[in-house]
Amino acid sequence: MIQRFPFAASALSALALSACAPGAAPPAPAAEADWPYYGGDAGGQRFSTAAQITPANVKGLKVAWTYSTGHMQTHAEAVERAAFEATPILAGGRLFLCSPFNVASAHDPGDGKALWTFDPKIDDTLRYPNSFNCRGVAYWRDPAAPANAPCAERIFMATNDRRLFSLDAATGKACAGFGQGGQVDAMPGAQLARPAGAQITSAPVVIGGVVVVGSSIDDNQRVREIPGAVRAFDALTGALRWTYDPLQAAGPGVVAGAANVWAPMSTDPARGLVFLPTSSPSPDFYGAARPGNAAHANSVVAVKAATGEVVWAFQTTHHDVWDYDVPAQPTLAMLGYQGGPVRPAVIQTTKQGLVFTLDRETGQPIIPVEERPVPQGGEVGEVLSPTQPFPVAPEPLAPNRIRPQDAFGLTPWDRDACRKLIAGARNEGLYTPPSTQGTILYPFTGGGSNWGGLAFDARRGVAFLNTSSALHKVTLIPAERVAGEKQAHPGVEISPQAGAPYGMRRELLVSPLGLPCNPPPWGVLTAVDMTTGKVLWRTPLGTTRDLAPGSQFLIRGVGTPNIGGPIATASGLVFIGAAMDNYLRAFDAASGQELWKGRLPAGGQATPMTYVWKGRQYVVIAAGGHAKGDTKRGDQIIAFALPQ
């Protein structure tokens, strides 16, 4: 899951990044372009044919409209536990979105005015594993329904409290024939240890008349966790069509749960396939009760949409004891590598900063993957995989080795403290196993990449993706000491891993001034030519202006950890928020130069989208901040456009 970034503001007053001044240019009329899926298209490329906004005129972008969900008032006491990660969709002539508290709404694409809202009235006093969150909704047109029939067009929304709603896209009213009054239990039979032990954060997908839903489950709590089952429901009736448990083939002797799909999914309607990014099995950091590689955990899994039958699975981490979930939407593309035949592909980015490129029909690597030896010697009872998979290209997009002498610090005193922290931990590079000594995880469990995934420009064969860079120290605690440690350190993440001989403690490695102990940049946007595997450019992403006002003038080019993803457009622009400051940025897709940034009223830790409506291109992002980044909270959707 995403982890909190508690970097001290006093230390961050030493960080900075420069910006470009805005300008203006008159736009030309543009052809209509929508954004009907969470990831732009069914395969999650996050690419738009819209080209009215160009590298030449992007400096002229201004706020065109804003919309407030109102949750800063209606859920005032819960917003500190919320993450506004939503990406709106445009389909059927309306813009649709959801708030962190699952209030769905439809809007006029030209001015943002609400056409309807629907509130499922979730309980905002609960504490969910991944904050109050709704990344998006799904649109479906019933091919058998008359054009103006009720619920001929539907919006599907899955909620934090694990319900799946079917709403009339025209009116926002619940579709009466779907389940009971327009809703079904999206996790039927789940025996939760606590009421908020699981939630649904990512948008469902609709394919072939079924709605597919994943889940987000408590991390690090117990060995015998609930199964991370993916479920499909009939799009008309809500009847359960199939259930797929990624651990169903784990074999005898395996005791574990989770391996759930909390990140966004993709679909291939032509092949009738759904692509699932699965997470780690329970518990995250000790795996003696789950010998072997845990079947389809930590994998990209292709299943038949009609039945849930597995077509293929490719595992990106064997016997995961590092919380290295597959965290991002699988991106579907057509690719040829180094002059080879162009084939249907799946591009999958990971928390480790690795990018796997697989054949969409077989799951076999298009860009070769090597099994390489990795550190061994886990704690008592642990049997690690002797090797892990590494793609030969591109090179890892996040650093994964650090020595004490590499420690970063603002002053010699600060740097020396970080050197001692690194030297005191077990640290043998990527895949060093967790230990009672304390082990460095680099990249940390927030990535590398996370749920923001990548954007892909098929015409150029280029992928754009953002990564974070920070260190976690994970320490295994003998089970009998967990309660005492938790009481002694109330501000530190300590979890029981009940049923295992060890609990765990996870903390960011930061200096006494609060700076990350690893060298910057701490956030980067990268372009990769996927036909050659070569990195084209890298640029730091983000400033610390909103973490420590004035800091951006003292040191430049450090970036920040980031939450959210990029989009790309046909004119050669890459738009991204994500960084821990209140900006939406535009970069030149060819060079990586920052061309524009637009000020937001709160943190933009979400993935933007773009569309053309009545000849005018808009770029839209949720500006609501993030509980785990502790960025400024808000409840607005902001649309930028060129002046008319």
Side-chain angles (χ1 to χ4, degrees):
M1 303 299 176
I2 300 288
Q3 299 304 320
R4 183 176 294 275
F5 306 140
F7 299 151
S10 61
L12 288 169
S13 64
L15 311 178
L17 235 169
S18 60
C20 297
E32 300 296 295
D34 59 6
W35 191 277
Y37 298 88
Y38 167 81
D41 68 312
Q45 290 192 7
R46 294 179 181 80
F47 177 84
S48 175
T49 58
Q52 183 182 82
I53 304 169
T54 70
N57 65 22
V58 68
K59 291 181 180 180
L61 284 180
K62 303 292 183 183
V63 173
W65 57 258
T66 66
Y67 170 77
S68 171
T69 69
H71 67 243
M72 289 293 287
Q73 288 74 44
T74 57
H75 297 276
E77 295 184 4
V79 291
E80 292 305 307
R81 307 193 307 280
F84 201 1
E85 295 180 352
T87 299
I89 61 173
L90 177 70
R94 301 177 185 89
L95 199 68
F96 302 98
L97 62 99
C98 56
S99 81
F101 301 95
N102 295 118
V103 176
S105 55
H107 303 265
D108 184 306
D111 58 19
K113 290 182 180 178
L115 305 174
W116 56 255
T117 61
F118 175 85
D119 188 352
K121 299 188 184 304
I122 67 172
D123 182 353
D124 69 1
T125 66
L126 299 176
R127 292 185 176 270
Y128 286 100
N130 201 28
S131 310
F132 287 102
N133 196 349
C134 181
R135 295 193 181 100
V137 298
Y139 169 87
W140 180 66
R141 174 70 170 86
D142 179 1
N148 296 319
C151 292
E153 297 174 89
R154 302 186 182 211
I155 293 298
F156 292 98
M157 177 178 65
T159 63
N160 288 280
D161 58 6
R162 305 172 301 281
R163 291 178 285 169
L164 174 64
F165 283 89
S166 176
L167 307 176
D168 188 327
T171 66
K173 294 180 179 179
C175 296
F178 185 87
Q180 298 296 315
Q183 64 177 293
V184 298
D185 180 354
M187 295 181 66
Q191 302 295 314
L192 301 181
R194 65 184 187 91
Q199 64 187 130
I200 303 170
T201 54
S202 290
V205 295
V206 190
I207 175 175
V210 298
V211 188
V212 186
V213 184
S215 63
S216 180
I217 297 173
D218 265 343
D219 276 355
N220 311 313
Q221 298 305 305
R222 58 196 62 84
V223 170
R224 296 182 180 273
E225 189 53 86
I226 63 170
V230 177
R231 296 175 175 86
F233 301 87
D234 188 285
L236 285 175
T237 68
L240 183 65
R241 291 275 291 270
W242 52 259
T243 301
Y244 163 67
D245 179 358
L247 295 181
Q248 63 191 15
V254 172
V255 181
N260 48 298
V261 175
W262 62 265
M265 298 170 281
S266 298
T267 65
D268 183 340
R271 293 173 174 81
L273 297 178
V274 183
F275 296 88
L276 311 174
T278 66
S279 72
S280 56
S282 63
D284 284 335
F285 298 106
Y286 184 77
R290 45 179 172 89
N293 290 341
H296 300 155
N298 302 92
S299 299
V300 184
V301 184
V303 302
K304 293 182 179 178
T307 64
E309 176 187 352
V310 175
V311 177
W312 58 260
F314 180 90
Q315 192 167 65
T316 62
T317 306
H318 305 322
H319 191 80
D320 184 12
V321 290
W322 304 274
D323 190 19
Y324 282 158
D325 304 340
V326 181
Q329 183 177 24
T331 301
L332 308 188
M334 297 296 295
L335 270 180
Y337 177 61
Q338 291 191 342
V342 175
R343 290 187 276 171
V346 180
I347 308 172
Q348 183 64 63
T349 185
T350 71
K351 289 184 178 181
Q352 298 95 305
L354 306 176
V355 181
F356 293 88
T357 307
L358 312 172
D359 187 293
R360 200 186 313 172
E361 296 178 335
T362 67
Q364 295 300 307
I366 291 175
I367 297 180
V369 173
E370 298 175 347
E371 289 285 338
R372 299 175 185 169
V374 293
Q376 297 293 291
E379 292 296 341
V380 175
E382 186 69 86
V383 181
L384 301 165
S385 173
T387 63
Q388 293 289 348
F390 290 82
V392 301
E395 63 191 62
L397 301 183
N400 56 37
R401 299 191 72 89
I402 190 168
R403 305 166 300 171
Q405 58 265 41
D406 300 326
F408 179 82
L410 184 60
T411 67
W413 163 73
D414 210 34
R415 190 178 307 116
D416 187 58
C418 278
R419 285 184 184 136
K420 291 177 181 177
L421 287 172
I422 295 169
R426 185 173 177 185
N427 175 29
E428 298 156 33
L430 188 61
Y431 300 117
T432 303
S435 62
T436 54
Q437 176 185 351
T439 291
I440 287 177
L441 270 61
Y442 191 38
F444 76 145
T445 61
S449 290
N450 214 286
W451 60 262
L454 59 85
F456 183 72
D457 184 339
R459 300 172 311 164
R460 298 176 174 92
V462 176
F464 306 94
L465 62 161
N466 51 303
T467 53
S468 299
S469 183
L471 301 171
H472 263 141
K473 180 181 176 182
V474 170
T475 305
L476 295 180
I477 306 168
E480 65 274 11
R481 288 174 39 200
V482 169
E485 288 286 317
K486 196 170 181 67
Q487 185 175 9
H489 304 283
V492 176
E493 182 189 4
I494 297 174
S495 299
Q497 302 194 140
Y502 302 98
M504 59 75 63
R505 172 175 175 154
R506 175 169 46 185
E507 52 201 322
L508 281 167
L509 279 193
V510 295
S511 74
L513 291 178
L515 286 169
C517 279
N518 57 296
W522 298 309
V524 174
L525 180 65
T526 301
V528 180
D529 185 335
M530 296 303 299
T531 67
T532 65
K534 301 295 185 183
V535 171
L536 301 176
W537 51 257
R538 291 187 177 95
T539 188
L541 176 62
T543 72
T544 57
R545 167 177 172 172
D546 296 299
L547 298 174
S551 62
Q552 69 271 23
F553 302 110
L554 301 179
I555 188 171
R556 299 175 182 273
V558 296
T560 70
N562 43 86
I563 306 172
I567 66 170
T569 71
S571 67
L573 290 171
V574 178
F575 288 96
I576 186 168
M580 295 173 69
D581 57 11
N582 304 342
Y583 288 106
L584 173 66
R585 291 178 166 85
F587 292 86
D588 188 315
S591 67
Q593 179 185 359
E594 184 182 303
L595 301 177
W596 168 85
K597 63 181 180 182
R599 188 71 174 151
L600 302 174
Q605 287 74 50
T607 302
M609 53 85 75
T610 188
Y611 60 90
V612 177
W613 181 255
K614 296 183 178 179
R616 192 180 190 195
Q617 183 182 353
Y618 298 82
V619 182
V620 180
I621 189 169
H626 202 287
K628 293 185 177 180
D630 200 24
T631 50
K632 183 181 178 182
R633 308 304 195 276
D635 59 12
Q636 290 187 291
I637 299 289
I638 311 295
F640 293 90
L642 296 171
Q644 289 183 307

